[in-house]
Each structure stands twice: as structure tokens, then as C-alpha cells.
Amino acid sequence: MEHDADSSPIVATRRRALVAFTAASLGLFAARFGPMLPSWGWLAAALLIAGVAGFLRGVWLRAALAVAMSLLAGGWFTMRVLERPADSFAAMFEPDTPTVVTLHGVVTGVPTPITRPAVGLARFAPPMARWRLEFDATQLEIEKGPVPATGRVWVRVAGEAPPSVRVGDAARITGTLTILGPPGNPGEEDIRLLAAQRGFVGTLALTTRELIEPIAAEAGPSSRARAWLLRSHEALRAWASNAVDACLVDADDRTRFLVRGLILGDFDPTQRDLRDAFARQGLVHVLTISGFHLAVMAAFALFAVRLTGDRGWVEPMVVGVLVLAYAAVVPASSPILRSATMVLALLLAEACGRRYDRVTVLLWIGVGLLAWRPLDLWNLGFQLSLGLTGALLWLGERFGRVVWREEVRGLVAPREPSAWRACKRWVKQSAYAALLCWLVGTPVLMHAVGMVSPLAALATMAVTPIIVLMLWVGYAGVVIVGVFPQADGLVAAVLSWLARGASGAVAWFDALPGSVIRVPPVSGWWALAATVGIVALVRWGTRRHAWCWALPAVLLGWLGVEWSLAGRLPAGVVVRIDMFDVGDGSCYLVRSGREAMLWDAGGQGRGGMMHPTVASCRTLGVSRVSTLAITHPDVDHFGAVEGLLGPLHVRRVIAPERFIEQARVNETTASTATKAVFAAGAEIVVAQEGDEAVFGDVRLVVQSPPPNAAWSLDNDHSLVVLLECPTDAGPRIVLLTGDIQDAGIEHLRRRGAGHVDVIEAPHHGSAKPAAIHWLADLRPGVVLQSTGRARRGDPRWAGVREACVWLSTAERGWAWVEVRRDGSVRYGTMH
């Protein structure tokens, strides 16, 4: 039974829970970003403060307990995430340095095929591993034999045939181990921390499944129990997958994607466009198993139980068992487990029959979830699920009365129930719940993904009923087809009809002008202040209070200042070049004055809601890049173009004639990229030797290729531009060279290029004699090398490197260089 939220005892319990949650959050924040202290130091301080608290009273007691809570959380974060186990083999190898090793351990993840989108430029991606699995290592082989060494690795296996091991098998695996390294770009998440939270230390790449050898290891009771649990879990998931597939006979790919995503959380990468459309309309949660799915499943189960009568405490118990079973058959990801924990905790509070407050229970659930997964504090899903659920529980009814102008008029006789009144009440509740979630969640989403979806509340109201029907039909269909297999066609037809309705509604909203507004970067502090401000306005605001008008004005003014300063270079900088770490590709952000340009768009990886390069640009304060240069027709220089055009508002693409020639041939990388450019509403401009333009505060001159060049190699046709930077000490020269090789270099020599201050290493720093001699003659002050590990530290460049500052992404990650107005050249790196 829920407690009266307006009584003074409940306010006190909420305050205690809020203080505990805040103290734990501050402790995690201090441990992650503060000075590195050993876990025993944090815990000893927590015990000391807790001991002192025993002699205090009143506010001092509460303050001491809050401090102890923060110290305890900091120690737990340090021990769980930052400190490695003493026997971890991660300490034996250098990060980001591939090493061939042999590991002994247990297969903890079923071998799963790796799929990738077969659309756009992804079709031309180089071959990749076909299978993946998880492996928990217990021993490392050295010359003297196996030695104890712990750590989990993600295993990637090449080849068409699946690895011949089962989950729970003991195995000996030989492959190329790469220990996870630090992030390489601004705005990039530190994968080492997320991996450490789960016990992972790196990846293991195998060229063939034959490198996995099952072994007959001596298994104790705990090992046998673990193997049994892993295999039972996998068997249950396989049964659920087969049961859902039985309901999808003759269904199209889109229906399969939606139904399997809704019921099983099974994401098909080939349907990324549909998933992105759902995300843009604020509906990505329906495609990721979350509290929404568990709530619908719980309502379905409760409805089925109540068909047999009122069962009292049996109802939440039965629903809880089903929630546990459902969590066991879907992928064990953080959102699923987090949502299951929240639902089970609330069900337990309901089943106990005691008076309770849902907001208080939710806050304590949050504390428990942070103890389980400390890094969830920085997880957008955790922030939204906990925050929006709390907002609905605390503010929902009051916000609904404000929206619908309903007043509490004391006790009145209840009206006769009717279907019309029930439907009207459901529409009202759905409307104010969707609007409240949109208001509270928008500042966080502006900070995290740089988007505002003005129609998200309407899209949620329109699509959610269809999704709920799909879930109910899917749940019922699994049971019906299991009993009457001949009903599979009917179930598939109904699901296909609902899937077409859901995807059609989302596509319609997504196509409306203004349905998605991309905004410049906002700080986390502004997002926090805006969220608190919106909550305060909803809870206590009235039109009569002056602060209710002043607060939005302050927040809007703050936002305007941030946006006006975003991406602006300091007054003393003429030009700045940021070289992103994109492996063996190239991608440079060039800025001067108020202008920004991307020199190449290498890399094909995507990062959820936002492409990694977009995230890096936004971290640097840049949300608009009007020009993108594609230096030549090699895909490692424009593989990411599809994911950058829209989010960065690219309006112009500059390319050489060689790229345009290849774009005229169908089914090439160049033609695919060209179609994406035109689809985004951008134009393509052909550049050649002699073209000039004013770019911010500098003069941009195209040095190569000349018109009608007869060179055979695409690399030699690369765009080469010279940036002439005016400074108080005379002009400074920056030369961007693309992938030019011998013919292109010889052409530039004939043009008589003299000393340069900053230069891009030709062809990613390939140690060709022509390039080495040319750079030695140019005597650059700074060389920028965008490359992968294969070209790292090539000794053939030793003479040039000794005479300049050599910045390589393979060695230092992201790097930047600035030409300043006083003539000096500054630089910096990620590491």
C-alpha cells in the first residue's frame, strides 16, 4: 500500500533516501575524477567518519553519515573499476600492442555470428571476424607452462564455420591479444572502465576456429555448477528465440526486426535506419528491453492472473517470477537487468503489504544499482530511466492537474464507470506523462546527443499503443503457436500489420519538417541546472511568483552565452588543426575564424546515437562544419561521410576530378558517397591546382592535382592545399597532402614548395624514399601523421623525426596544432 506523499513522515524518508543517493553519487564522482587513492584509504576514512558519527547528534550526525557514505562509494568505485586484480594478465602486456598468447579458461558466451549493415558504404568495409564469444581466462601459457592469470576477453573468430565450443566448455585459445588502451579522441568514452566493471581486459583475435581447443580440465563442484548455469541459461534463450521465430513465419525483415527487438532485445544491424528513426523521435527505448517492456509484460501477466479472480499477494509474486524468467531469456545487458531490478523491488514492496512511498523506494533502488554498476551514474539510460520514473511518481498527478486545469474539490460521488471515461482518462494520463518526460528529459538529451525532438511527446502517444498491442500479441502468440502450431500464419499476419503501422507512424513523424532539431553543444552543468529548474517549476511554480519568470530567463541567457562561445577560437589563434585518431584513415578538423572544415572523413565505425567523429567535434565545441574535403577516392578517407553530413550540417563537399570520375561508375564507394551527399542536400565542388579561397583568417590555395593529370595511382590525385597564415612574424605555411606518392610529390617539387611550418605526412606516413627526402628538404616544424599501428615508429623516418615535432595518432591519439598571431606554433596530444 503506497504511503500518502503529502505527510511529513514521507518527506523525511524521501530526504534521507535523496541524501544517501546524492552522497553515493558524489563519492563515485570524486573517485573517478579526483586524485587516485587506494581503495583501502577510502574505506578506512569511511570507517573513521562512521565511528565519529556515533558520538554526534542532530545535523552533525546526518552530515557525518553522508560523508561516510561518499567515502564508502569512492572506495567501492576504486576497488571495482580502477584497481586491477593482482593476478590479472592485463598488467603483463602493453595496451594497444597486439601480442600472440595462449590462454586457458572457460567459454562464458555462446558463439554468435557478427552481422553488419549491407547498405551504404558499409557494403565496402574490409572483411571482419564472423563470430564472437566471451572467454574467462584462468591461466596464461609461457615457456615454462601455464601460470595463474585472470581476466575476461572478447574473442573474435574469422571463418564461415562457427567455433566448435559450447558455453561452459573449458578451452585453450591461441590468438592475438590486445589489451584495451586509453581513449584516442576527445569525447570518447573510456572503454577500459566499462570493461573493468565487467572484468574484461581486452580482445583476442583468431584467424581460424581451429585455434580454439576444448580441453578436459578437472572441474570442481563450483566449476560444474557454473557450466550448468551457463548452458541452462543459453538453452532457455534458444527456446525463447525459436518460440518467437515460430510466430514470424513468412514475415518480412522489418517485422522480424521489430518483433524480435521488442520481445527478445535482439538488434539487427541491417535495420539501423529504422532504429535511428525511432531514436530521433524519442522512441529508442521501445527497441531496447527496458522498464517499458517489463511493465507491459507485467500488465499482461497481471491481466492473465486476474482472469482467475482476486489473488492478493499471489499476483505480485507470480508477476515477479515472470519478470525473472523474462530477464533470463533476453540478452543480459545493463538496461534489462536495471529495469528488472527496479520492477522486482517495487513488486516486493507491494507484496509486503506495508505502507511505502514509491519515490523513496526508487531512490534506494538507485543506490543499490550504483553499488552494482558504479559507472551507470554516467549512463544516459540510467539517468533517464531513474530520473523520468522518479518525475512521474513525484510530479505526475500534479502536472496532470496543471495541464488539464483540474482542481481538487473535495469528496464527490464517483461517476459510473464507462468505456468512454476510461479511454478519456487513459488519453489524458498518456498525454501528461509523455509531456512531462519530454520536458524533464530534453536538457539531458541536448547535452548527450545534441538533439531536440519537438514532436516526441506526440510520437510517443501515437506509437506506444501500437507497440503495446505488438507486445501483447507477441506474448500471446508464443503461447498460442506453442499449443496450436497451425495458427502461426495468423499470428504472423497480425504482427506484420502492427509492425507496418508502427514503422509507418515513426517514418511519418520523422519526415515532418522540424521533427528533429540539432542543437549546438551544451555543458553538463547547464543540463543539470535546466533539469532542476524544470522540476522546480513543475512542482512549485505559479504564474504569480517572480522567480518562475526569472529562472527560465536565466537558463535561456546561460544557454545563449554557451552557444555564442561554442567552437570559437581564442583571439590569438589564426588556424587550428585537430587530427582525430581514426586508425588507418584520416580525419582532420581545420578551423580559422568562424569557419570550420573537415579534411577527409575516415573511419566507418558508429557510436550509438552519435558518430564518434561528431562526438569529438562537439566536445571541441563545433556543431557546424560547412565544408568537407574528400582528398581522393580511397574509402579510408571518406568512409564516415554518411554519418557526418546531417549531424554536422555539411553544405559543401570538395573533391578532386579523380573522385568525380569514379563516382560516375555505379556501385563504387565514390558513387555511394556521392548519393549520400546529394541526399543530405549538400553540393559537390571539384577542386584543382590554382583554385583559391578565403577560409576564415587564412588564404587557402589548392596545390595539386593539376587539370587532366595522367597519373595512374589514385593516391597521386589527392587534393593538396596550402594554408597561408598571416602572423606578426610573417606568413606561416600549413600543407595538407592527402595520400600523394611519388608522382604527386615530384609535381609539388617542380612547383618549388619551400619551407613549411606544419605538414600532413603523405600517405599516412608511409616510408617511401620520395616522401622522406621531400620532408627532409621542407624542414617542417610539426608533422601530423594519421595512421594505425602498422606504421607506428617506422625507423626509416628517424632523420626527419629528429629535426621536427612528430605527432602520430598511433602513438599519442588525437593531436592538435595551432598557428598563433605572434607567429608561434603550439601543439598538444591526447596522451
Side-chain angles (χ1 to χ4, degrees):
M1 178 169 52
E2 188 179 3
H3 205 294
D4 180 9
D6 294 328
S7 62
S8 57
I10 202 62
V11 173
T13 59
R14 284 182 178 178
R15 186 182 296 117
R16 286 193 292 269
L18 180 60
V19 169
F21 181 84
T22 304
S25 301
L26 290 175
L28 298 177
F29 192 90
R32 179 172 182 178
F33 298 109
M36 180 64 181
L37 300 175
S39 57
W40 62 263
W42 288 94
L43 299 177
L47 289 175
L48 177 62
I49 298 297
V52 172
F55 300 95
L56 303 176
R57 294 292 181 271
V59 65
W60 293 106
L61 170 62
R62 292 191 288 272
L65 291 177
V67 172
M69 183 75 165
S70 294
L71 293 170
L72 181 64
W76 174 244
F77 182 90
T78 302
M79 183 168 55
R80 177 78 187 278
V81 178
L82 300 180
E83 294 178 341
R84 286 175 177 168
D87 57 350
S88 172
F89 61 80
M92 305 176 188
F93 304 97
E94 288 293 326
D96 287 329
T97 303
T99 308
V100 177
V101 301
T102 299
L103 300 174
H104 293 228
V106 178
V107 177
T108 56
V110 64
T112 306
I114 299 174
T115 58
R116 64 184 180 193
V119 296
L121 288 169
R123 293 175 297 163
F124 305 98
M128 59 187 295
R130 298 301 183 92
W131 300 89
R132 68 175 184 268
L133 56 91
E134 296 177 359
F135 188 72
D136 191 353
T138 56
Q139 292 181 323
L140 170 68
E141 278 195 16
I142 60 176
E143 293 181 0
K144 299 179 181 179
V147 296
T150 62
R152 301 179 69 190
V153 291
W154 290 287
V155 181
R156 301 291 183 265
V157 187
E160 297 293 336
S164 55
V165 288
R166 298 181 305 161
V167 63
D169 283 353
R172 176 180 182 268
I173 302 183
T174 301
T176 302
L177 173 70
T178 304
I179 300 298
L180 298 173
N185 289 306
E188 183 178 329
E189 196 164 20
D190 193 342
I191 190 65
R192 297 174 301 174
L193 301 183
L194 295 171
Q197 185 172 256
R198 297 184 56 197
F200 284 90
V201 298
T203 61
L204 193 68
L206 280 63
T207 56
T208 173
R209 67 172 187 164
E210 305 303 325
L211 295 173
I212 303 178
E213 307 173 36
I215 57 176
E218 295 185 7
S222 61
S223 298
R224 288 196 297 270
R226 182 187 186 191
W228 180 83
L229 286 173
L230 289 170
R231 289 169 183 166
S232 299
H233 182 211
E234 189 52 41
L236 186 61
R237 290 183 56 190
W239 172 84
S241 179
N242 293 333
V244 172
D245 284 341
C247 300
L248 297 173
V249 176
D250 298 328
D252 56 72
D253 291 341
R254 182 152 292 194
T255 300
R256 287 182 174 275
F257 166 71
L258 282 175
V259 174
R260 289 187 64 86
L262 287 170
I263 298 180
L264 298 176
D266 187 8
F267 170 53
D268 182 0
T270 63
Q271 299 292 325
R272 182 179 289 276
D273 289 345
L274 180 60
R275 182 182 176 91
D276 288 348
F278 270 78
R280 286 190 292 270
Q281 298 309 314
L283 292 165
V284 71
H285 62 281
V286 306
L287 299 181
T288 303
I289 301 294
S290 61
F292 168 78
H293 299 74
L294 293 176
V296 174
M297 191 275 296
F300 179 81
L302 195 60
F303 172 78
V305 171
R306 286 182 176 173
L307 288 177
T308 67
D310 187 359
R311 300 301 177 186
W313 64 269
V314 174
E315 294 176 358
M317 184 187 72
V318 171
V319 173
V321 170
L322 290 176
V323 167
L324 283 173
Y326 189 46
V329 302
V330 295
S333 64
S334 183
I336 298 167
L337 299 176
R338 179 172 59 241
S339 302
T341 302
M342 293 173 63
V343 171
L344 289 172
L346 291 171
L347 286 172
L348 179 62
E350 187 73 31
C352 289
R354 298 174 62 86
R355 301 185 72 183
Y356 72 97
D357 173 62
R358 291 182 178 178
V359 176
T360 303
V361 173
L362 183 69
L363 286 169
W364 285 113
I365 291 172
V367 173
L369 289 172
L370 290 180
W372 177 35
R373 291 176 181 264
L375 286 169
D376 275 3
L377 181 63
W378 293 272
N379 180 273
L380 179 62
F382 173 83
Q383 295 167 0
L384 292 179
S385 62
L386 196 73
L388 297 185
T389 302
L392 288 173
L393 294 178
W394 183 33
L395 306 172
E397 291 186 7
R398 186 182 190 282
F399 186 70
R401 292 195 299 269
V402 172
V403 169
W404 300 111
R405 299 181 179 274
E406 297 175 349
E407 297 181 1
V408 180
R409 300 179 179 178
L411 297 176
V412 295
R415 297 181 179 180
E416 289 291 328
S418 67
W420 165 248
R421 291 195 181 97
C423 182
K424 182 180 177 181
R425 184 171 60 254
W426 180 86
V427 170
K428 285 186 173 183
Q429 290 175 344
S430 299
Y432 77 69
L435 183 58
L436 178 60
C437 288
W438 181 82
L439 283 173
V440 176
T442 292
V444 179
L445 291 172
M446 288 173 65
H447 168 67
V449 298
M451 289 193 305
V452 175
S453 303
L455 304 180
L458 290 176
T460 299
M461 290 186 61
V463 176
T464 297
I466 306 175
I467 297 298
V468 171
L469 280 175
M470 286 187 68
L471 285 168
W472 278 52
V473 172
Y475 297 145
V478 170
V479 177
I480 293 171
V481 174
V483 179
F484 304 104
Q486 59 271 26
D488 55 1
L490 176 62
V491 173
V494 175
L495 287 173
S496 297
W497 179 72
L498 291 172
R500 286 193 295 271
S503 58
V506 170
W508 184 80
F509 277 104
D510 198 47
L512 290 176
S515 64
V516 177
I517 300 174
R518 302 186 187 276
V519 298
V522 301
S523 67
W525 293 112
W526 182 89
L528 177 61
T531 302
V532 173
I534 290 171
V535 169
L537 288 171
V538 172
R539 180 65 180 87
W540 296 289
T542 65
R543 286 177 292 182
R544 296 188 299 272
H545 293 154
W547 69 267
C548 297
W549 299 96
L551 181 60
V554 170
L555 290 172
L556 290 174
W558 182 357
L559 182 64
V561 171
E562 286 198 0
W563 282 354
S564 66
L565 298 177
R568 178 179 294 180
L569 293 175
V573 176
V574 179
V575 68
R576 174 179 169 121
I577 301 173
D578 290 274
M579 176 175 61
F580 298 132
D581 182 3
V582 293
D584 285 314
S586 294
C587 186
Y588 299 81
L589 175 64
V590 185
R591 288 179 284 168
S592 181
R594 301 294 289 178
E595 297 289 329
M597 172 181 68
L598 276 178
W599 179 258
D600 279 329
Q604 290 180 310
R606 297 194 61 175
M609 290 280 291
M610 189 182 296
H611 192 282
T613 300
V614 177
S616 295
C617 290
R618 292 181 63 85
T619 301
L620 296 173
V622 178
S623 60
R624 289 181 176 270
V625 180
S626 59
T627 303
L628 188 154
I630 297 177
T631 57
H632 64 292
D634 283 359
V635 73
D636 60 322
H637 289 253
F638 60 89
V641 69
E642 294 167 316
L644 305 182
L645 293 166
L648 291 178
H649 307 276
V650 176
R651 307 272 31 103
R652 182 188 311 103
V653 173
I654 300 174
E657 179 60 34
R658 188 62 162 251
F659 179 88
I660 303 303
E661 290 174 0
Q662 294 195 12
R664 296 190 183 103
V665 180
N666 288 328
E667 298 305 316
T668 63
T669 55
S671 67
T672 304
T674 300
K675 293 175 184 176
V677 171
F678 290 144
E683 63 173 341
I684 296 181
V685 177
V686 179
Q688 60 186 9
E689 180 183 353
D691 291 343
E692 293 189 18
V694 176
F695 177 73
D697 297 332
V698 305
R699 188 169 70 101
L700 185 152
V701 182
V702 179
Q703 303 287 296
S704 186
N708 304 316
W711 303 324
S712 60
L713 296 179
D714 289 343
N715 284 349
D716 283 317
H717 288 264
S718 293
L719 284 178
V720 178
V721 301
L722 181 147
L723 302 178
E724 185 178 303
C725 311
T727 72
D728 297 339
R732 296 289 182 259
I733 303 301
V734 177
L735 196 62
L736 302 177
T737 63
D739 272 6
I740 58 170
Q741 292 185 219
D742 295 7
I745 291 173
E746 181 59 29
H747 173 71
L748 292 176
R749 279 186 175 278
R750 288 198 300 268
R751 283 182 59 92
H755 170 73
V756 299
D757 297 279
V758 181
I759 189 171
E760 174 191 8
H763 195 198
H764 312 283
S766 293
K768 302 291 185 180
I772 295 173
H773 296 152
W774 184 48
L775 261 66
D777 293 341
L778 291 177
R779 295 171 288 109
V782 178
V783 177
L784 300 172
Q785 182 192 22
S786 178
T787 186
R789 290 189 293 259
R791 299 187 183 95
R792 178 169 55 183
D794 194 317
R796 290 172 290 182
W797 283 105
V800 177
R801 294 184 63 137
E802 291 173 359
C804 69
V805 175
W806 189 283
L807 305 178
S808 171
T809 56
E811 300 170 4
R812 307 190 187 188
W814 159 69
W816 57 268
V817 60
E818 291 178 346
V819 177
R820 303 183 63 82
R821 296 199 181 277
D822 60 7
S824 63
V825 177
R826 297 178 56 195
Y827 58 89
T829 61
M830 188 80 176
H831 310 308

